[in-house]
Amino acid sequence: MKKIFATLVLSALMALPLSAQVKFGLKGGLNVTDMSLSSEVFDASNRTGFFIGPTVKVSLPLTGLAIDGSLLYDFRSAKVDNELNETKTIKQQQLAIPINLRYGVGLGSVASVFLFAGPQVGFNVGETDFNWKDTSNYSLKKSNFSVNVGMGVSLLTHLQLTANYNIACGKTADATLKNVGETLTDKEVHTRANAWQIALAYYF
């Protein structure tokens, strides 16, 4: 999947016409982790995180169409309780690379609104294994693939405010509740960490 993503990004960059308008900027925002896992074994509570990094926007000659891409440090967390009522805060640190295709409609010379969607690949750069003493463990994947869907508004050609949902494609981590005495047997579940995101970007 990562090789396919890299090939698509390279092909898109090579296909950009010379008349395309390119703007560079800085993007940052907040995310709220929406973890999906088996509630019979683990229970998760949403937690707030953040992301920040450089971004680029390429406006295409076709009216309203553009492509944007970013390299973001993305921090997410969630409080997870296992079947034994033990609590652990899972912290995911990753380099996220979202690439979005967007279509916008101008609202005069001051503002425009747009819809966007596209793939994102993430590479974990922080801790990947979390343990509840000897009873449970939670292991993050080294990389993950997801899709963004959202909308935004551009103001005064420099400012951009967006809101989107980041949807995990495939599992984000493996979680295991280990055997404790004779009361429990080993239980393993696969988890997905989706996120609601709000971002502000400034283009120079």
Side-chain angles (χ1 to χ4, degrees), residues 59-113:
S59 299
L60 303 178
L62 296 176
T63 304
L65 285 179
I67 297 174
D68 67 56
S70 306
L71 176 61
L72 306 172
Y73 169 75
D74 187 328
F75 174 85
R76 305 183 185 189
S77 69
K79 187 174 70 175
V80 180
D81 299 323
N82 66 15
E83 199 175 53
L84 301 177
N85 293 321
E86 298 171 321
T87 301
K88 190 74 174 181
T89 299
I90 307 300
K91 298 179 180 180
Q92 182 184 33
Q93 302 177 71
Q94 64 175 355
L95 288 179
I97 307 173
I99 303 292
N100 297 306
L101 177 64
R102 47 197 281 174
Y103 177 75
V105 178
L107 301 176
S109 60
V110 177
S112 64
V113 295

Side-chain angles (χ1 to χ4, degrees), residues 141-174:
K141 296 297 181 183
K142 293 182 179 180
S143 62
N144 59 79
F145 184 80
S146 57
V147 173
N148 291 309
V149 178
M151 64 182 301
V153 57
S154 295
L155 301 170
L156 303 174
T157 71
H158 293 290
L159 290 177
Q160 175 184 283
L161 180 65
T162 59
N164 70 276
Y165 192 53
N166 176 246
I167 308 167
C169 300
K171 60 184 179 180
T172 306
D174 294 318

Side-chain angles (χ1 to χ4, degrees), residues 9-22 58-61 66-67:
V9 172
L10 182 60
S11 299
L13 292 175
M14 293 178 64
L16 291 177
L18 295 178
S19 57
Q21 183 181 14
V22 180
V58 181
S59 299
L60 303 178
I67 297 174

Side-chain angles (χ1 to χ4, degrees), residues 127-204:
E127 188 177 357
T128 58
D129 294 309
F130 302 86
N131 298 295
W132 289 258
K133 298 179 181 177
D134 296 325
T135 60
S136 303
N137 72 285
Y138 188 98
S139 181
L140 291 166
K141 296 297 181 183
K142 293 182 179 180
S143 62
N144 59 79
F145 184 80
S146 57
V147 173
N148 291 309
V149 178
M151 64 182 301
V153 57
S154 295
L155 301 170
L156 303 174
T157 71
H158 293 290
L159 290 177
Q160 175 184 283
L161 180 65
T162 59
N164 70 276
Y165 192 53
N166 176 246
I167 308 167
C169 300
K171 60 184 179 180
T172 306
D174 294 318
T176 303
L177 180 66
K178 300 179 181 179
N179 181 41
V180 180
E182 298 180 355
T183 60
L184 297 174
T185 57
D186 289 359
K187 297 179 181 180
E188 183 174 333
V189 297
H190 303 306
T191 70
R192 293 185 180 184
N194 304 320
W196 292 98
Q197 299 179 320
I198 297 177
L200 179 65
Y202 182 85
Y203 289 97
F204 303 103

